Amino acid sequence: QLFAPLVAAFFGEDMAEVYRSELQLLTAAPKCSQEQSWHSDNRARGITIVVPLVDFTAENGATQLLPGSHALGSAPSRRLLVRDGARVATPRLGQLVAYDARTYHRGLGNSTADSRPALVFRYDRRESPPPGVGLVSAIGHTATAKALHVSTAVGVAVREALL
């Protein structure tokens, strides 16, 4: 019920066809969690809501996102990716991170001495349950996201050097 207004606003339709498809407790273990591979949560439009149980930092395994990657191919998406590149979401305890399930993202490694736990809620349409992609597509998504990350990082660095 807490997320119902956010989920309803995201889908903008009859909520009868929307359901909570996942609820996970994810932890980046101290001093041993490695970066995840870039991935998306679903090939169809859905919403992922991350609830940090501690403050997120880049050092403790925060989520890194490629804003705009959920709408690859659209002109606004390309501009956003080129302008901003990858972003690390660093919400504090009590804040949320919400993104379209098609957005490329990954958890960063945890180099601190403390765990970085979070609850992850997923909401999808009944007709498009996660994950929505097979193994070959998942590998393709990882390669695409890596290429986007590198190319946008270069673009951002060049732009900043010219300023």
Side-chain angles (χ1 to χ4, degrees), residues 71-99:
L72 283 174
S74 72
S77 173
R78 285 193 299 273
R79 282 193 299 273
L80 185 62
L81 278 165
V82 170
R83 185 186 75 223
D84 292 340
R87 294 289 186 214
V88 177
T90 54
R92 301 184 62 77
L93 180 64
Q95 297 177 324
L96 303 175
V97 175
Y99 52 90

PDB file of all heavy atoms in Angstrom, residues 71-99:
ATOM      1  N   ALA A  71      14.772   3.544 -22.768  1.00  0.00           N
ATOM      2  CA  ALA A  71      14.099   3.962 -24.002  1.00  0.00           C
ATOM      3  C   ALA A  71      15.107   4.104 -25.137  1.00  0.00           C
ATOM      4  O   ALA A  71      15.062   5.060 -25.903  1.00  0.00           O
ATOM      5  CB  ALA A  71      13.370   5.281 -23.762  1.00  0.00           C
ATOM      6  N   LEU A  72      16.023   3.154 -25.228  1.00  0.00           N
ATOM      7  CA  LEU A  72      17.051   3.228 -26.272  1.00  0.00           C
ATOM      8  C   LEU A  72      16.414   3.423 -27.636  1.00  0.00           C
ATOM      9  O   LEU A  72      15.409   2.807 -27.960  1.00  0.00           O
ATOM     10  CB  LEU A  72      17.901   1.958 -26.273  1.00  0.00           C
ATOM     11  CG  LEU A  72      18.920   1.878 -25.164  1.00  0.00           C
ATOM     12  CD1 LEU A  72      19.608   0.526 -25.159  1.00  0.00           C
ATOM     13  CD2 LEU A  72      19.941   2.982 -25.274  1.00  0.00           C
ATOM     14  N   GLY A  73      17.016   4.280 -28.407  1.00  0.00           N
ATOM     15  CA  GLY A  73      16.510   4.543 -29.748  1.00  0.00           C
ATOM     16  C   GLY A  73      15.735   5.844 -29.837  1.00  0.00           C
ATOM     17  O   GLY A  73      15.633   6.419 -30.910  1.00  0.00           O
ATOM     18  N   SER A  74      15.190   6.326 -28.730  1.00  0.00           N
ATOM     19  CA  SER A  74      14.467   7.595 -28.787  1.00  0.00           C
ATOM     20  C   SER A  74      15.466   8.743 -28.667  1.00  0.00           C
ATOM     21  O   SER A  74      16.489   8.625 -28.000  1.00  0.00           O
ATOM     22  CB  SER A  74      13.427   7.683 -27.666  1.00  0.00           C
ATOM     23  OG  SER A  74      14.054   7.859 -26.418  1.00  0.00           O
ATOM     24  N   ALA A  75      15.180   9.855 -29.316  1.00  0.00           N
ATOM     25  CA  ALA A  75      16.088  11.003 -29.296  1.00  0.00           C
ATOM     26  C   ALA A  75      16.328  11.517 -27.874  1.00  0.00           C
ATOM     27  O   ALA A  75      17.473  11.773 -27.500  1.00  0.00           O
ATOM     28  CB  ALA A  75      15.564  12.113 -30.207  1.00  0.00           C
ATOM     29  N   PRO A  76      15.287  11.677 -27.026  1.00  0.00           N
ATOM     30  CA  PRO A  76      15.559  12.150 -25.660  1.00  0.00           C
ATOM     31  C   PRO A  76      16.460  11.200 -24.885  1.00  0.00           C
ATOM     32  O   PRO A  76      17.315  11.636 -24.118  1.00  0.00           O
ATOM     33  CB  PRO A  76      14.172  12.231 -25.028  1.00  0.00           C
ATOM     34  CG  PRO A  76      13.227  12.375 -26.175  1.00  0.00           C
ATOM     35  CD  PRO A  76      13.861  11.586 -27.294  1.00  0.00           C
ATOM     36  N   SER A  77      16.293   9.897 -25.110  1.00  0.00           N
ATOM     37  CA  SER A  77      17.127   8.918 -24.417  1.00  0.00           C
ATOM     38  C   SER A  77      18.586   9.063 -24.824  1.00  0.00           C
ATOM     39  O   SER A  77      19.486   9.055 -23.995  1.00  0.00           O
ATOM     40  CB  SER A  77      16.638   7.507 -24.732  1.00  0.00           C
ATOM     41  OG  SER A  77      17.526   6.554 -24.203  1.00  0.00           O
ATOM     42  N   ARG A  78      18.842   9.223 -26.116  1.00  0.00           N
ATOM     43  CA  ARG A  78      20.220   9.366 -26.585  1.00  0.00           C
ATOM     44  C   ARG A  78      20.864  10.616 -26.008  1.00  0.00           C
ATOM     45  O   ARG A  78      22.015  10.606 -25.588  1.00  0.00           O
ATOM     46  CB  ARG A  78      20.261   9.388 -28.118  1.00  0.00           C
ATOM     47  CG  ARG A  78      20.050   8.016 -28.747  1.00  0.00           C
ATOM     48  CD  ARG A  78      20.405   8.033 -30.218  1.00  0.00           C
ATOM     49  NE  ARG A  78      19.591   8.964 -30.982  1.00  0.00           N
ATOM     50  CZ  ARG A  78      18.412   8.680 -31.525  1.00  0.00           C
ATOM     51  NH1 ARG A  78      17.910   7.480 -31.377  1.00  0.00           N
ATOM     52  NH2 ARG A  78      17.752   9.581 -32.216  1.00  0.00           N
ATOM     53  N   ARG A  79      20.114  11.712 -25.963  1.00  0.00           N
ATOM     54  CA  ARG A  79      20.661  12.954 -25.405  1.00  0.00           C
ATOM     55  C   ARG A  79      20.999  12.776 -23.924  1.00  0.00           C
ATOM     56  O   ARG A  79      22.031  13.233 -23.454  1.00  0.00           O
ATOM     57  CB  ARG A  79      19.672  14.106 -25.595  1.00  0.00           C
ATOM     58  CG  ARG A  79      19.670  14.669 -27.007  1.00  0.00           C
ATOM     59  CD  ARG A  79      18.929  15.986 -27.084  1.00  0.00           C
ATOM     60  NE  ARG A  79      17.542  15.893 -26.710  1.00  0.00           N
ATOM     61  CZ  ARG A  79      16.543  15.574 -27.525  1.00  0.00           C
ATOM     62  NH1 ARG A  79      16.800  15.289 -28.789  1.00  0.00           N
ATOM     63  NH2 ARG A  79      15.296  15.521 -27.100  1.00  0.00           N
ATOM     64  N   LEU A  80      20.120  12.114 -23.184  1.00  0.00           N
ATOM     65  CA  LEU A  80      20.340  11.912 -21.756  1.00  0.00           C
ATOM     66  C   LEU A  80      21.574  11.049 -21.519  1.00  0.00           C
ATOM     67  O   LEU A  80      22.419  11.366 -20.682  1.00  0.00           O
ATOM     68  CB  LEU A  80      19.104  11.272 -21.117  1.00  0.00           C
ATOM     69  CG  LEU A  80      19.126  11.088 -19.604  1.00  0.00           C
ATOM     70  CD1 LEU A  80      19.229  12.433 -18.904  1.00  0.00           C
ATOM     71  CD2 LEU A  80      17.858  10.372 -19.155  1.00  0.00           C
ATOM     72  N   LEU A  81      21.702   9.964 -22.263  1.00  0.00           N
ATOM     73  CA  LEU A  81      22.855   9.083 -22.102  1.00  0.00           C
ATOM     74  C   LEU A  81      24.155   9.807 -22.416  1.00  0.00           C
ATOM     75  O   LEU A  81      25.137   9.701 -21.686  1.00  0.00           O
ATOM     76  CB  LEU A  81      22.726   7.856 -23.013  1.00  0.00           C
ATOM     77  CG  LEU A  81      21.854   6.730 -22.501  1.00  0.00           C
ATOM     78  CD1 LEU A  81      21.503   5.765 -23.624  1.00  0.00           C
ATOM     79  CD2 LEU A  81      22.544   5.996 -21.377  1.00  0.00           C
ATOM     80  N   VAL A  82      24.174  10.565 -23.500  1.00  0.00           N
ATOM     81  CA  VAL A  82      25.394  11.254 -23.903  1.00  0.00           C
ATOM     82  C   VAL A  82      25.722  12.371 -22.920  1.00  0.00           C
ATOM     83  O   VAL A  82      26.878  12.584 -22.567  1.00  0.00           O
ATOM     84  CB  VAL A  82      25.247  11.805 -25.340  1.00  0.00           C
ATOM     85  CG1 VAL A  82      26.399  12.732 -25.701  1.00  0.00           C
ATOM     86  CG2 VAL A  82      25.182  10.648 -26.325  1.00  0.00           C
ATOM     87  N   ARG A  83      24.697  13.082 -22.452  1.00  0.00           N
ATOM     88  CA  ARG A  83      24.944  14.218 -21.559  1.00  0.00           C
ATOM     89  C   ARG A  83      25.404  13.763 -20.182  1.00  0.00           C
ATOM     90  O   ARG A  83      26.338  14.299 -19.615  1.00  0.00           O
ATOM     91  CB  ARG A  83      23.665  15.048 -21.426  1.00  0.00           C
ATOM     92  CG  ARG A  83      23.875  16.314 -20.608  1.00  0.00           C
ATOM     93  CD  ARG A  83      22.600  17.060 -20.350  1.00  0.00           C
ATOM     94  NE  ARG A  83      21.851  16.335 -19.332  1.00  0.00           N
ATOM     95  CZ  ARG A  83      20.547  16.115 -19.368  1.00  0.00           C
ATOM     96  NH1 ARG A  83      19.825  16.546 -20.358  1.00  0.00           N
ATOM     97  NH2 ARG A  83      19.945  15.443 -18.419  1.00  0.00           N
ATOM     98  N   ASP A  84      24.754  12.765 -19.615  1.00  0.00           N
ATOM     99  CA  ASP A  84      24.988  12.416 -18.217  1.00  0.00           C
ATOM    100  C   ASP A  84      25.842  11.172 -17.995  1.00  0.00           C
ATOM    101  O   ASP A  84      26.479  11.051 -16.967  1.00  0.00           O
ATOM    102  CB  ASP A  84      23.647  12.218 -17.495  1.00  0.00           C
ATOM    103  CG  ASP A  84      22.880  13.521 -17.359  1.00  0.00           C
ATOM    104  OD1 ASP A  84      23.498  14.596 -17.461  1.00  0.00           O
ATOM    105  OD2 ASP A  84      21.665  13.463 -17.155  1.00  0.00           O
ATOM    106  N   GLY A  85      25.815  10.221 -18.897  1.00  0.00           N
ATOM    107  CA  GLY A  85      26.526   8.972 -18.666  1.00  0.00           C
ATOM    108  C   GLY A  85      25.937   8.221 -17.485  1.00  0.00           C
ATOM    109  O   GLY A  85      24.819   8.479 -17.051  1.00  0.00           O
ATOM    110  N   ALA A  86      26.683   7.277 -16.944  1.00  0.00           N
ATOM    111  CA  ALA A  86      26.218   6.476 -15.816  1.00  0.00           C
ATOM    112  C   ALA A  86      26.178   7.322 -14.550  1.00  0.00           C
ATOM    113  O   ALA A  86      27.000   8.208 -14.362  1.00  0.00           O
ATOM    114  CB  ALA A  86      27.126   5.266 -15.620  1.00  0.00           C
ATOM    115  N   ARG A  87      25.220   7.015 -13.703  1.00  0.00           N
ATOM    116  CA  ARG A  87      25.060   7.721 -12.425  1.00  0.00           C
ATOM    117  C   ARG A  87      24.975   6.703 -11.299  1.00  0.00           C
ATOM    118  O   ARG A  87      24.347   5.661 -11.447  1.00  0.00           O
ATOM    119  CB  ARG A  87      23.780   8.563 -12.413  1.00  0.00           C
ATOM    120  CG  ARG A  87      23.790   9.705 -13.397  1.00  0.00           C
ATOM    121  CD  ARG A  87      24.750  10.752 -12.917  1.00  0.00           C
ATOM    122  NE  ARG A  87      24.690  11.923 -13.752  1.00  0.00           N
ATOM    123  CZ  ARG A  87      25.735  12.666 -14.017  1.00  0.00           C
ATOM    124  NH1 ARG A  87      26.899  12.366 -13.522  1.00  0.00           N
ATOM    125  NH2 ARG A  87      25.628  13.728 -14.771  1.00  0.00           N
ATOM    126  N   VAL A  88      25.588   7.029 -10.169  1.00  0.00           N
ATOM    127  CA  VAL A  88      25.510   6.183  -8.988  1.00  0.00           C
ATOM    128  C   VAL A  88      24.430   6.756  -8.074  1.00  0.00           C
ATOM    129  O   VAL A  88      24.481   7.923  -7.710  1.00  0.00           O
ATOM    130  CB  VAL A  88      26.858   6.108  -8.244  1.00  0.00           C
ATOM    131  CG1 VAL A  88      26.738   5.270  -6.978  1.00  0.00           C
ATOM    132  CG2 VAL A  88      27.938   5.540  -9.157  1.00  0.00           C
ATOM    133  N   ALA A  89      23.440   5.937  -7.760  1.00  0.00           N
ATOM    134  CA  ALA A  89      22.360   6.361  -6.859  1.00  0.00           C
ATOM    135  C   ALA A  89      22.846   6.183  -5.426  1.00  0.00           C
ATOM    136  O   ALA A  89      23.197   5.075  -5.021  1.00  0.00           O
ATOM    137  CB  ALA A  89      21.108   5.532  -7.111  1.00  0.00           C
ATOM    138  N   THR A  90      22.870   7.268  -4.675  1.00  0.00           N
ATOM    139  CA  THR A  90      23.362   7.217  -3.294  1.00  0.00           C
ATOM    140  C   THR A  90      22.279   7.697  -2.321  1.00  0.00           C
ATOM    141  O   THR A  90      22.465   8.695  -1.620  1.00  0.00           O
ATOM    142  CB  THR A  90      24.645   8.047  -3.129  1.00  0.00           C
ATOM    143  OG1 THR A  90      24.399   9.379  -3.597  1.00  0.00           O
ATOM    144  CG2 THR A  90      25.804   7.440  -3.894  1.00  0.00           C
ATOM    145  N   PRO A  91      21.171   6.964  -2.268  1.00  0.00           N
ATOM    146  CA  PRO A  91      20.120   7.360  -1.327  1.00  0.00           C
ATOM    147  C   PRO A  91      20.551   7.108   0.107  1.00  0.00           C
ATOM    148  O   PRO A  91      21.350   6.206   0.386  1.00  0.00           O
ATOM    149  CB  PRO A  91      18.953   6.455  -1.706  1.00  0.00           C
ATOM    150  CG  PRO A  91      19.622   5.223  -2.222  1.00  0.00           C
ATOM    151  CD  PRO A  91      20.843   5.725  -2.954  1.00  0.00           C
ATOM    152  N   ARG A  92      20.038   7.912   0.980  1.00  0.00           N
ATOM    153  CA  ARG A  92      20.275   7.718   2.408  1.00  0.00           C
ATOM    154  C   ARG A  92      19.154   6.842   2.968  1.00  0.00           C
ATOM    155  O   ARG A  92      18.112   6.680   2.339  1.00  0.00           O
ATOM    156  CB  ARG A  92      20.321   9.068   3.108  1.00  0.00           C
ATOM    157  CG  ARG A  92      21.443   9.967   2.529  1.00  0.00           C
ATOM    158  CD  ARG A  92      21.598  11.267   3.244  1.00  0.00           C
ATOM    159  NE  ARG A  92      21.972  11.148   4.639  1.00  0.00           N
ATOM    160  CZ  ARG A  92      23.194  10.873   5.095  1.00  0.00           C
ATOM    161  NH1 ARG A  92      24.173  10.678   4.242  1.00  0.00           N
ATOM    162  NH2 ARG A  92      23.442  10.800   6.387  1.00  0.00           N
ATOM    163  N   LEU A  93      19.360   6.291   4.122  1.00  0.00           N
ATOM    164  CA  LEU A  93      18.340   5.516   4.809  1.00  0.00           C
ATOM    165  C   LEU A  93      17.057   6.351   4.873  1.00  0.00           C
ATOM    166  O   LEU A  93      17.104   7.518   5.249  1.00  0.00           O
ATOM    167  CB  LEU A  93      18.813   5.158   6.217  1.00  0.00           C
ATOM    168  CG  LEU A  93      17.851   4.337   7.078  1.00  0.00           C
ATOM    169  CD1 LEU A  93      17.614   2.975   6.459  1.00  0.00           C
ATOM    170  CD2 LEU A  93      18.413   4.185   8.482  1.00  0.00           C
ATOM    171  N   GLY A  94      15.938   5.781   4.459  1.00  0.00           N
ATOM    172  CA  GLY A  94      14.666   6.501   4.453  1.00  0.00           C
ATOM    173  C   GLY A  94      14.291   7.051   3.088  1.00  0.00           C
ATOM    174  O   GLY A  94      13.176   7.514   2.892  1.00  0.00           O
ATOM    175  N   GLN A  95      15.226   7.020   2.121  1.00  0.00           N
ATOM    176  CA  GLN A  95      14.941   7.456   0.759  1.00  0.00           C
ATOM    177  C   GLN A  95      14.759   6.229  -0.131  1.00  0.00           C
ATOM    178  O   GLN A  95      15.075   5.110   0.268  1.00  0.00           O
ATOM    179  CB  GLN A  95      16.075   8.326   0.223  1.00  0.00           C
ATOM    180  CG  GLN A  95      16.255   9.617   0.993  1.00  0.00           C
ATOM    181  CD  GLN A  95      17.440  10.431   0.484  1.00  0.00           C
ATOM    182  OE1 GLN A  95      18.466   9.888   0.091  1.00  0.00           O
ATOM    183  NE2 GLN A  95      17.279  11.753   0.502  1.00  0.00           N
ATOM    184  N   LEU A  96      14.264   6.438  -1.341  1.00  0.00           N
ATOM    185  CA  LEU A  96      14.032   5.361  -2.305  1.00  0.00           C
ATOM    186  C   LEU A  96      14.769   5.650  -3.605  1.00  0.00           C
ATOM    187  O   LEU A  96      15.041   6.800  -3.919  1.00  0.00           O
ATOM    188  CB  LEU A  96      12.545   5.247  -2.645  1.00  0.00           C
ATOM    189  CG  LEU A  96      11.554   5.032  -1.529  1.00  0.00           C
ATOM    190  CD1 LEU A  96      10.139   5.084  -2.097  1.00  0.00           C
ATOM    191  CD2 LEU A  96      11.813   3.702  -0.847  1.00  0.00           C
ATOM    192  N   VAL A  97      15.011   4.595  -4.360  1.00  0.00           N
ATOM    193  CA  VAL A  97      15.455   4.712  -5.743  1.00  0.00           C
ATOM    194  C   VAL A  97      14.427   3.929  -6.558  1.00  0.00           C
ATOM    195  O   VAL A  97      14.166   2.764  -6.266  1.00  0.00           O
ATOM    196  CB  VAL A  97      16.861   4.113  -5.963  1.00  0.00           C
ATOM    197  CG1 VAL A  97      17.234   4.155  -7.438  1.00  0.00           C
ATOM    198  CG2 VAL A  97      17.887   4.838  -5.123  1.00  0.00           C
ATOM    199  N   ALA A  98      13.836   4.581  -7.553  1.00  0.00           N
ATOM    200  CA  ALA A  98      12.849   3.916  -8.403  1.00  0.00           C
ATOM    201  C   ALA A  98      13.243   4.139  -9.854  1.00  0.00           C
ATOM    202  O   ALA A  98      13.651   5.242 -10.234  1.00  0.00           O
ATOM    203  CB  ALA A  98      11.455   4.461  -8.130  1.00  0.00           C
ATOM    204  N   TYR A  99      13.147   3.073 -10.667  1.00  0.00           N
ATOM    205  CA  TYR A  99      13.510   3.196 -12.081  1.00  0.00           C
ATOM    206  C   TYR A  99      12.738   2.188 -12.910  1.00  0.00           C
ATOM    207  O   TYR A  99      12.253   1.167 -12.413  1.00  0.00           O
ATOM    208  CB  TYR A  99      15.020   3.043 -12.290  1.00  0.00           C
ATOM    209  CG  TYR A  99      15.629   1.799 -11.678  1.00  0.00           C
ATOM    210  CD1 TYR A  99      15.714   0.613 -12.381  1.00  0.00           C
ATOM    211  CD2 TYR A  99      16.133   1.837 -10.381  1.00  0.00           C
ATOM    212  CE1 TYR A  99      16.277  -0.522 -11.819  1.00  0.00           C
ATOM    213  CE2 TYR A  99      16.705   0.712  -9.812  1.00  0.00           C
ATOM    214  CZ  TYR A  99      16.778  -0.459 -10.534  1.00  0.00           C
ATOM    215  OH  TYR A  99      17.332  -1.577  -9.954  1.00  0.00           O
TER     216      TYR A  99
END
